[in-house]
Amino acid sequence: MVLQKSFFLTWEDWKRYAEKYARIFVSQGFTQRDRMIICASYGMNVGANTMTLAARDIGMTIIPTGKCTFPIRLMNSYQPTGIVGSVFKFIRLARRMKSEGMNPADSSLERLIIGGESFADESRKYVQDLYDCEVYNTYGSTEGTMCGECSAVSGLHVPEDIAHMDIYDPNTRQYVRDGEPGHIVLTTLLKPGEHSGTLLINYDTDDTTSVLSRSRCACGRTHMRILNPWREAETSRIFEVPLNRIDIEQAVFQPENMEQLTGEYEAFIYGEEENEITLRISVEAEDKEACNIRDISETITESLLSHIPGLAGAYNDDMFKVHVHITGPGGLELHHIRGRPKRLVDRR
């Protein structure tokens, strides 16, 4: 059974959401001279609509494609300086640009904004190198907050005057100290006379982060900063050790791998903890036959175990196995499933 949540927004909510995004865009250096492509679906999507309102309020030119599959000619016709999308939308866009004889690093783009998903530092660096421009992170939730990196790239600023954020450990049922991980818990803040369609009071988002700093940022802003949140729904546990999709991503996007891989990946967990657990990681390559599967497999495995040392013991005891599989273009399961792809699937 699939449980769905409904959230109701007044026009005042839309304006508050737009205000949050406008602050983020300004902190990233956007001004009225910029031209932004928004690669997020419109309609019920809170982010696409409120980012458009935010860009309008700043005075930017908006190119509301809704998807990142727009014709490449738009890059030459409108000379965008920024795009809002995701890591994999940007990677696929770069591939299409190259196929039409355009070097992404020579385009008009100055900033890319990753929104709507967590990502590894390694995949951010890969996208930066592809486009030779700044890549910033934003975190948004339909329930009520938008946080974003500024040009200093030292954590995501929280709009503390619009939404109150606590960090809570659901296991100990205690709020945690700064620097310790926990769930993001939100409370809506309203000025006297304002209204909200859905008022949040200590609402657990199921997204995890930790407070990075409450001191003044190098950009001059004073709101607290948090680490890049990750989705609890994208976390599985192997021998009680948490494994998140981002852990897989950082292992795949090791620089020595990316000369051969496209960046597309998916992972599946099989087995029973009484016997052994197998993590199968499938990665995509433009030329499967030219890949050195042994080197790629060793790099991914070593990176994963060094990043999650809690699994190293089980791996050394042959209770936890990592199998790396390489496919050609379009060979991953996620390419044949409609909707947003799930990159870490627990099939136990």
Side-chain angles (χ1 to χ4, degrees):
M1 181 175 64
V2 178
L3 298 178
Q4 294 183 333
K5 301 177 184 178
S6 294
F7 290 88
F8 302 92
L9 304 177
T10 65
W11 176 238
E12 291 182 2
D13 288 316
W14 283 97
K15 291 192 291 185
R16 278 190 291 270
Y17 283 29
E19 166 70 16
K20 297 172 191 177
Y21 273 124
R23 293 182 187 181
I24 294 170
F25 290 153
V26 170
S27 76
Q28 293 162 347
F30 285 100
T31 68
Q32 62 184 11
R33 60 167 285 275
D34 284 287
R35 298 170 297 281
M36 177 181 285
I37 293 179
I38 296 181
C39 292
S41 59
Y42 287 81
M44 296 291 284
N45 187 301
V46 173
N49 291 284
T50 52
M51 281 188 285
T52 299
L53 290 174
R56 179 205 65 178
D57 292 343
I58 295 170
M60 285 192 276
T61 298
I62 306 159
I63 308 167
T65 63
K67 295 182 179 180
C68 220
T69 53
F70 57 82
I72 297 301
R73 66 174 182 273
L74 293 186
M75 298 297 296
N76 289 322
S77 299
Y78 296 109
Q79 294 287 298
T81 58
I83 302 181
V84 176
S86 67
V87 166
F88 295 96
K89 287 179 180 179
F90 292 142
I91 291 174
R92 293 166 195 159
L93 175 61
R95 195 177 306 143
R96 290 199 296 122
M97 292 171 70
K98 290 178 179 178
S99 70
E100 297 193 23
M102 181 184 297
N103 183 353
D106 294 335
S107 71
S108 56
L109 292 169
E110 299 174 7
R111 302 172 190 85
L112 299 177
I113 311 301
I114 298 176
E117 67 175 18
S118 298
F119 57 87
D121 288 339
E122 290 80 0
S123 57
R124 182 214 294 260
K125 179 64 167 58
Y126 180 67
V127 173
Q128 282 178 325
D129 291 343
L130 276 177
Y131 288 90
D132 190 25
C133 70
E134 296 296 330
V135 177
Y136 296 113
N137 182 22
T138 61
Y139 160 77
S141 64
T142 303
E143 298 89 345
T145 194
M146 286 85 198
C147 309
E149 288 177 330
C150 65
S151 55
V153 191
S154 57
L156 282 71
H157 288 273
V158 178
E160 293 184 84
D161 59 325
I162 301 178
H164 177 76
M165 179 184 293
D166 288 309
I167 310 299
Y168 179 81
D169 186 336
N171 296 316
T172 63
R173 298 185 178 182
Q174 298 288 329
Y175 292 102
V176 301
R177 298 176 180 176
D178 289 0
E180 297 178 354
H183 283 195
I184 294 174
V185 175
L186 297 176
T187 297
T188 305
L189 299 179
L190 300 175
K191 296 177 182 177
E194 287 188 340
H195 299 86
S196 178
T198 302
L199 186 68
L200 305 180
I201 300 177
N202 291 337
Y203 177 82
D204 188 344
T205 64
D206 281 333
D207 294 341
T208 301
T209 190
S210 61
V211 175
L212 181 65
S213 175
R214 296 181 187 270
S215 62
R216 182 184 295 271
C217 178
C219 74
R221 292 169 175 80
T222 57
H223 285 167
M224 76 174 180
R225 286 164 284 145
I226 60 173
L227 292 178
N228 186 8
W230 60 96
R231 312 290 187 186
E232 194 65 28
E234 296 179 329
T235 300
S236 295
R237 280 170 170 75
I238 299 176
F239 303 115
E240 300 303 318
V241 177
L243 175 71
N244 188 272
R245 174 184 65 82
I246 303 305
D247 300 318
I248 308 294
E249 187 168 303
Q250 68 84 29
V252 170
F253 276 85
Q254 292 299 304
E256 53 267 48
N257 286 344
M258 298 313 297
E259 294 181 1
Q260 304 176 72
L261 305 180
T262 66
E264 297 282 1
Y265 71 91
E266 61 189 5
F268 303 93
I269 303 173
Y270 301 94
E272 299 177 355
E273 297 203 359
E274 306 84 62
N275 300 309
E276 66 179 36
I277 301 296
T278 298
L279 174 65
R280 185 178 187 270
I281 302 174
S282 295
V283 293
E284 184 184 80
E286 289 288 357
D287 186 352
K288 174 183 175 182
E289 302 305 322
C291 289
N292 188 320
I293 179 61
R294 180 176 179 178
D295 288 349
I296 291 174
S297 179
E298 288 180 353
T299 299
I300 290 176
T301 302
E302 289 174 5
S303 176
L304 185 68
L305 295 179
S306 64
H307 190 66
I308 312 178
L311 291 176
Y315 181 83
N316 293 331
D317 292 337
D318 287 330
M319 294 294 291
F320 174 59
K321 298 183 182 297
V322 179
H323 291 167
V324 176
H325 174 67
I326 298 180
T327 75
L332 300 178
E333 286 188 23
L334 59 83
H335 291 310
H336 308 284
I337 299 174
R338 297 185 65 180
R340 186 172 182 173
K342 192 171 183 179
R343 295 186 180 273
L344 176 58
V345 181
D346 195 334
R347 288 182 169 170
R348 288 175 289 183

